[in-house]
Amino acid sequence: GAGGEPLFSSHMLDLSEEPHEENIGICAKYLARMAKINCILEMEIGITGGVEDGVDNSGVAKDKLYSTPEEVWQVYETLSPISEKFTIAAAFGNVHGVYKAGNVVLRPELLGSFQDYAGKILQSSKPLNFVFHGGSGSEKRSIDEARTHGVVKMNVDTDTQWAYWEGLLKFYKAKSGYLQGQIGNPEGEDKPNKSYYDPRKWVRCSEETMRDRVVEAFKDLKAPVP
């Protein structure tokens, strides 16, 4: 920015589709540059299932949905000498999107095993900072368990998309009689409807329901609500 500070406090670099060593190597190069501007790198290992941004991982082998302690340690071992400002989006059964209960098997206890593995080597408690990708639709108990194992950030894009749409949907259902034309509504055939179809009206409703979903996520992670 104009004041010499970065415009963002963190940057996500998802190279999880690449070979593990190549992923970590490129992340190391980026982190070296980002450390100079005090910026956090969020990197991803393993594969998050489902579909996102045109990338379809819905048919991936199930073992690919779970990272291993050794893979996570390799990330820490490579990146920590460069900067402490990095987070790891490790795979523990995460899936982008929302699916019927039972179709997704989250194993947040794996995050605990990753912490234990690294902690024994470093002789410290919970040295890793994790990111929970594909958090939308997750059970509250799974979210809370992941949080206790070092999750500091959770992505809930699909849930916030639905929340935004739901605000508009509820507005339309409540005011549908005023949204069938520019003139004419339940109050009279000559009554104008501009105050109802004005985007500033229904966009605000969407913003409010999306805000409420974000507040819910803050509470799920036991984080202070802004």
Side-chain angles (χ1 to χ4, degrees), residues 10-215:
S10 66
H11 175 73
M12 190 186 93
L13 182 59
D14 181 3
L15 297 173
S16 57
E17 296 284 334
E18 307 303 326
H20 187 61
E21 288 74 14
E22 183 178 348
N23 177 2
I24 298 175
I26 295 174
C27 285
K29 292 178 181 179
Y30 271 83
L31 184 60
R33 297 174 62 186
M34 294 171 67
K36 298 175 182 179
I37 57 173
N38 199 32
C39 197
I40 299 169
L41 173 69
E42 175 185 329
M43 66 87 66
E44 182 172 355
I45 57 173
I47 293 178
T48 301
V51 181
E52 182 183 52
D53 297 334
V55 178
D56 187 352
N57 288 326
S58 57
V60 72
K62 290 187 177 180
D63 64 308
K64 298 295 184 181
L65 298 176
Y66 302 97
S67 299
T68 67
E70 292 79 10
E71 289 171 339
V72 175
W73 171 250
Q74 188 178 355
V75 173
Y76 183 89
E77 190 177 33
T78 303
L79 300 186
S80 60
I82 302 170
S83 170
E84 63 177 8
K85 294 184 178 298
F86 66 92
T87 57
I88 306 171
F92 57 101
N94 328 48
V95 173
H96 288 129
V98 175
Y99 299 86
K100 185 178 180 181
N103 286 4
V104 178
V105 182
L106 275 179
R107 296 184 58 196
E109 72 276 7
L110 288 179
L111 300 178
S113 71
F114 303 158
Q115 293 281 19
D116 291 342
Y117 186 92
K120 287 179 182 178
I121 297 173
L122 297 170
Q123 294 296 299
S124 64
S125 176
K126 297 182 181 179
L128 309 173
N129 292 314
F130 292 117
V131 175
F132 186 162
H133 281 188
S136 294
S138 298
E139 296 179 340
K140 301 295 186 184
R141 61 181 178 83
S142 294
I143 295 172
D144 193 56
E145 184 176 355
R147 179 190 61 81
T148 65
H149 294 314
V151 164
V152 297
K153 175 177 176 278
M154 177 173 68
N155 295 359
V156 288
D157 183 45
T158 300
D159 276 359
T160 53
Q161 288 176 3
W162 173 259
Y164 193 92
W165 157 247
E166 189 175 34
L168 173 55
L169 177 64
K170 289 180 176 179
F171 175 78
Y172 181 80
K173 287 182 175 180
K175 305 296 183 183
S176 62
Y178 299 83
L179 298 168
Q180 304 308 311
Q182 289 185 292
I183 303 294
N185 59 50
E187 297 177 27
E189 293 182 357
D190 61 343
K191 298 293 184 179
N193 296 317
K194 176 174 170 49
S195 62
Y196 295 95
Y197 64 75
D198 184 335
R200 290 170 294 184
K201 182 75 173 183
W202 48 264
V203 165
R204 180 58 179 166
C205 292
S206 292
E207 290 173 342
E208 289 173 346
T209 49
M210 185 174 179
R211 173 206 62 203
D212 293 343
R213 180 61 186 87
V214 171
V215 168

Side-chain angles (χ1 to χ4, degrees), residues 147 151-152 211 214-226:
R147 179 190 61 81
V151 164
V152 297
R211 173 206 62 203
V214 171
V215 168
E216 180 185 346
F218 270 84
K219 293 179 178 178
D220 288 342
L221 293 175
K222 304 292 192 294
V225 178

